Each structure stands twice: as structure tokens, then as C-alpha cells.
Amino acid sequence: MKNTEWKGYMTVLAVLLSLVTIYQFIAHQLFYDALKRDTITTWGEITARLVEQNPENEAEIMKVLTSHASYSSAYQEKGREIFRQYGLYEDLESELFPLLNKHISSHNQLIYWGLFCFGLMLLGASYLQHKMVFHKIRQLTSAAKKIIVGDYTVVINENKEGDLAKLAASFRSMKDIIRKSMQDLLEEKEFLAQMLQDISHQLKTPLSTISIYNEMLLNAELPRQQQVQLLQNNEVQISRMNVLIQNLLKVAKIDARAISFDKEPANLVETIEEVLDRLTGMISDKHIAINWDAPKEIVVAHDKLWMQEALLNLLKNAIEHSKPSSPIMIQIKDTPIYTELVIQDFGEGIVPKDLSHIFDRFYKATGSKKHDSTGIGLALVKAIIEAHHALIKVESEKDSFTRFTITFMKF
């Protein structure tokens, strides 16, 4: 029996029943002893009187009293006839037999008092047991009310086994889950507020610029060449906002698990080469050399389109921060346990204080020369990589190199 509360209650009940049984046994034994004692006294008096009148009948009288007399049935019937003459029958109420009635009444009183005491003890044990149970339930109810109002300092201790202990343990787990959920909601609220503030800040500058350019365009005296220039500037700002909004939507969908990644075993080398093909123009413009000894095939489970999105951001970032005519190194290491992809440029680098924030949204490294950066690209990269259950880390030295390492675990 695993329920200790029920086991305790049954143990108390068994003890009480044992006590009542012992009491009943003692009461019956006392009744029998008193009945024997009075029987001996009464029949002793009768025997003494009969022997005194007829001494020769003493042996016969003792045989009758000890049920050893012959022809006893005949004398028993004669005795009944004599009793009937004096109005004594078997059907008479026991009150008409004073000696027997006294013993029965005394015995019944013992039985009734025993049952009364047993009932009191049973009620007392039940009261204490239920008081303990309901006290613990009231503790849980009080603690639940405190949790509702945001007080998570309540402690419910239950060191015994049983259903109440399981309830207390489940309550503690529920409290921790609620506290964690509320903490996550608070952090999410703070994050949302910060994100809205950052988005507002990011959009405010291009919108202000567009507004100023539009006011200038409303001036009909501007030459055609200057109008075209202003329109081109507006196009750049609109394009920047479009990229920012698209990337924010992608990150938000990934965070909300609203995107189902179609991860299938595919050639990672082919995925990288397609990204490099899309960046051919940027590579040529800066005369960048891509150094990597591409293996024929490295199979990794990944969503090709989303992985290309992440690698495109990493390689664009490497190209934009590289010095003209400097190389970009790509390496792939495949082992039975993991596949490691390294992308390293030898450009302006990142100062140590920025490394821990490089994947934060809207964060811009100190002294970055990319003034039109929105600071959302690397955050998107990290979200995509982690959605593939992979790891990404960055190492860098100022004015020396920046190395991104992506590790795909195979187990």
C-alpha cells in the first residue's frame, strides 16, 4: 500500500479494533466468571439445605449438579413441572430472574460503554487524520493564492511518502514552471519593448531622410539631375528598410517556431558553391580571392534554402569587411562525429569587447566601416544555425582576421 495516509488511517483503525476485541473478550470473561461464581453460591446454598435435611442424598445431589446422574431427563421434566406451578417458564423475561438479570445488565453496560469508547476513539482518530489532510490542503490553497498574485517565495514541505507528498511535489513543480513562464514572459516583454525601440530607431533615420528628400523634390525649381539623385537616394533608403523588415520577419518567425525547416541530407559543398555564385559580382568588385579546397561531397542534414540564407549573410559580411584584394578562406572538416565549416576573412576584425555581442540584434561593432548596416544579419545567421541544432562561434583580432566556425553534430 503506497498511500501512507490511507495506510496510517487503516493502522489506527486496526489498533482500535484490536482494543475493542480485547475489551469484549475481557468483558465476556468477567461475565462468565461472575455467572459461575453466583451459580456456585446459589446451588451451594440449595445443596447445603438438601443435605442438611437428607444427608443420605448428598452423593446423588452432587451427581445431578455435575451431570453424572442417571435418569436425569425424567427428573428434569419433573423439575420443570414444579417450576411451572410457581410460574417459571423458559419464555419469561429475564427481568423475572433477578440473579441472571443482574449479570446480563452488568454485562450489557460493559458492552455499551466499550462501544461508546470505541466510537469516541474512532471519531477522534478520524478527526485528527482529516484535520491533518485538510490542513495540508489549506496550505496548498493558500500557497496557490500567493502564486496567483505573483509571490513565488512560498514553500511547501512534505517529507513523507503518499498522495499528499506527490501533490506537494507536483505543486512545487507547477510553481517552478509558472515562475519560469512568468520570467520568460517578462523577458520576452522586455525584449519586445527593446526590439520595438530598436526598430523605431532603425526606421527613423531612413524615414526622416526620405521625408527630407521628398520635401526637396516638391521644389519645382530643382534641376532634373538633382531630382534623379534624390530619387535614387530614396530608393536606397527604401531598399534598406525593406531588407531590415524582411530580416526581422525571418528572425521573428524562427523564434516563434512558425517555420518548419525541411532538413534533409544534402551536399553542403554544393550549397556553399551556389552561395558563392550569387556573390560573384561582389567578389569581383573587391578583387577578393576565395581560398578553399572544396571536397567533392560532404553530406549534412540541412534545409538548403535557409542554410544558403545564413551562409550568404556570413560571406557578404566577410566580403564587406575585407580589404581589397585580400583572401577569404573556407574550410570544411568532416569527422564521424561532426562536420565543421570555417569562414575566415583577413579584414578589419572585431575588438574583444564586441565579440560577446556580435550576434545580438541591431548591434554594430565599434568602429565598423559599414555605416548602412542594420545589425540584424548575424542575428538571423545564429537563429538559422541553431534551428539546425548546430553551433556557431566567432573568433577575431582587430585589424587581423575574423573567423566564424559552424559545427554540425551528427548525433
Side-chain angles (χ1 to χ4, degrees):
M1 188 181 296
K2 297 182 179 179
N3 190 323
T4 55
E5 292 84 11
W6 182 250
K7 182 167 61 176
Y9 183 76
M10 294 301 295
T11 301
V12 171
L13 185 61
V15 171
L16 292 177
L17 287 174
S18 300
L19 292 176
V20 169
T21 303
I22 294 172
Y23 178 84
Q24 295 282 4
F25 176 78
I26 294 173
H28 281 81
Q29 194 63 42
L30 291 174
F31 172 73
Y32 297 148
D33 291 343
L35 190 61
K36 286 188 294 183
R37 184 172 56 252
D38 286 347
T39 300
I40 290 173
T41 301
T42 302
W43 284 107
E45 180 182 354
I46 295 172
T47 302
R49 290 178 181 274
L50 291 175
V51 170
E52 183 179 353
Q53 295 176 5
N54 301 291
E56 67 279 4
N57 293 330
E58 179 178 350
E60 192 64 28
I61 293 171
M62 294 307 299
K63 287 181 180 180
V64 171
L65 293 177
T66 57
S67 300
H68 291 130
S70 58
Y71 307 109
S72 59
S73 58
Y75 286 101
Q76 288 175 1
E77 185 60 33
K78 290 182 179 180
R80 290 191 184 94
E81 288 295 331
I82 295 172
F83 282 154
R84 289 190 187 98
Q85 294 175 9
Y86 290 92
L88 297 177
Y89 299 93
E90 292 90 341
D91 298 333
L92 289 176
E93 297 293 334
S94 58
E95 286 83 358
L96 298 177
F97 297 87
L99 183 62
L100 180 61
N101 182 61
K102 182 184 71 172
H103 290 298
I104 293 175
S105 176
S106 176
H107 178 68
N108 288 340
Q109 287 182 7
L110 284 176
I111 296 298
Y112 294 150
W113 277 108
L115 291 175
F116 178 73
C117 293
F118 170 72
L120 288 179
M121 289 188 292
L122 183 60
L123 287 175
S126 299
Y127 172 76
L128 293 176
Q129 185 77 11
H130 286 81
K131 182 180 179 181
M132 178 190 69
V133 171
F134 286 109
H135 173 69
K136 293 178 180 178
I137 293 175
R138 282 194 295 270
Q139 282 184 320
L140 291 175
T141 303
S142 176
K145 292 179 179 178
K146 292 181 180 179
I147 290 176
I148 290 173
V149 298
D151 182 7
Y152 301 103
T153 61
V154 291
V155 178
I156 299 295
N157 292 321
E158 180 62 42
N159 299 322
K160 298 179 181 179
E161 295 181 355
D163 289 340
L164 284 175
K166 292 178 181 178
L167 179 61
S170 300
F171 183 86
R172 287 194 295 269
S173 300
M174 180 193 69
K175 181 190 71 173
D176 294 337
I177 292 172
I178 293 175
R179 179 171 55 187
K180 179 66 168 58
S181 298
M182 294 303 295
Q183 183 65 30
D184 291 343
L185 286 174
L186 181 60
E187 292 177 357
E188 191 68 25
K189 183 179 178 181
E190 293 175 353
F191 169 75
L192 182 59
Q194 183 63 41
M195 174 179 271
L196 290 174
Q197 182 179 352
D198 291 336
I199 292 173
S200 175
H201 177 73
Q202 292 289 330
L203 294 178
K204 183 169 62 176
T205 301
L207 285 173
S208 298
T209 303
I210 292 172
S211 179
I212 292 171
Y213 288 164
N214 282 344
E215 289 180 4
M216 294 173 66
L217 286 169
L218 291 174
N219 187 355
E221 297 178 359
L222 287 176
R224 177 60 182 172
Q225 183 177 359
Q226 191 171 357
Q227 291 179 350
V228 171
Q229 181 64 40
L230 291 175
L231 288 172
Q232 289 176 344
N233 291 339
N234 278 352
E235 181 66 24
V236 170
Q237 298 300 328
I238 292 172
S239 177
R240 179 185 175 190
M241 286 193 299
N242 184 57
V243 171
L244 172 62
I245 292 171
Q246 290 298 324
N247 286 338
L248 281 173
L249 288 174
K250 291 174 183 177
V251 173
K253 288 180 179 179
I254 294 174
D255 287 347
R257 295 189 176 94
I259 295 176
S260 177
F261 288 89
D262 187 16
K263 291 177 284 187
E264 294 181 352
N267 188 0
L268 184 61
V269 175
E270 182 180 316
T271 302
I272 297 171
E273 288 178 344
E274 290 181 8
V275 173
L276 290 174
D277 289 341
R278 293 165 61 180
L279 295 172
T280 301
M282 290 184 65
I283 294 171
S284 300
D285 291 343
K286 292 195 69 171
H287 306 287
I288 299 295
I290 304 297
N291 295 336
W292 78 309
D293 185 12
K296 292 183 179 180
E297 185 179 48
I298 298 292
V299 177
V300 174
H302 65 281
D303 187 307
K304 190 172 183 179
L305 294 178
W306 280 101
M307 188 55 63
Q308 285 181 351
E309 180 78 25
L311 296 178
L312 183 67
N313 277 278
L314 282 179
L315 287 169
K316 279 180 64 177
N317 190 71
I319 294 170
E320 290 168 349
H321 291 281
S322 293
K323 300 173 184 178
S325 302
S326 64
I328 292 177
M329 182 182 68
I330 303 175
Q331 292 179 332
I332 296 181
K333 179 181 179 182
D334 190 41
T335 72
I337 300 176
Y338 63 87
T339 298
E340 186 177 80
L341 170 63
V342 177
I343 299 175
Q344 180 173 346
D345 67 76
F346 299 91
E348 56 192 66
I350 306 169
V351 296
K353 69 176 183 178
D354 291 330
L355 279 177
S356 59
H357 303 284
I358 202 67
F359 293 111
D360 294 348
R361 297 173 192 183
F362 306 112
Y363 187 82
K364 294 183 181 180
T366 305
S368 174
K369 297 178 181 178
K370 190 180 177 184
H371 302 295
D372 62 341
S373 172
T374 60
I376 197 68
L378 290 179
L380 176 60
V381 170
K382 187 172 186 291
I384 294 172
I385 296 301
E386 290 183 347
H388 282 76
H389 305 293
L391 304 174
I392 183 169
K393 68 175 182 178
V394 59
E395 303 166 273
S396 185
E397 290 183 9
K398 185 62 177 175
D399 298 321
S400 179
F401 72 92
T402 299
R403 178 168 55 245
F404 288 92
T405 303
I406 303 173
T407 305
F408 301 90
M409 304 304 298
K410 295 184 177 180
F411 300 98

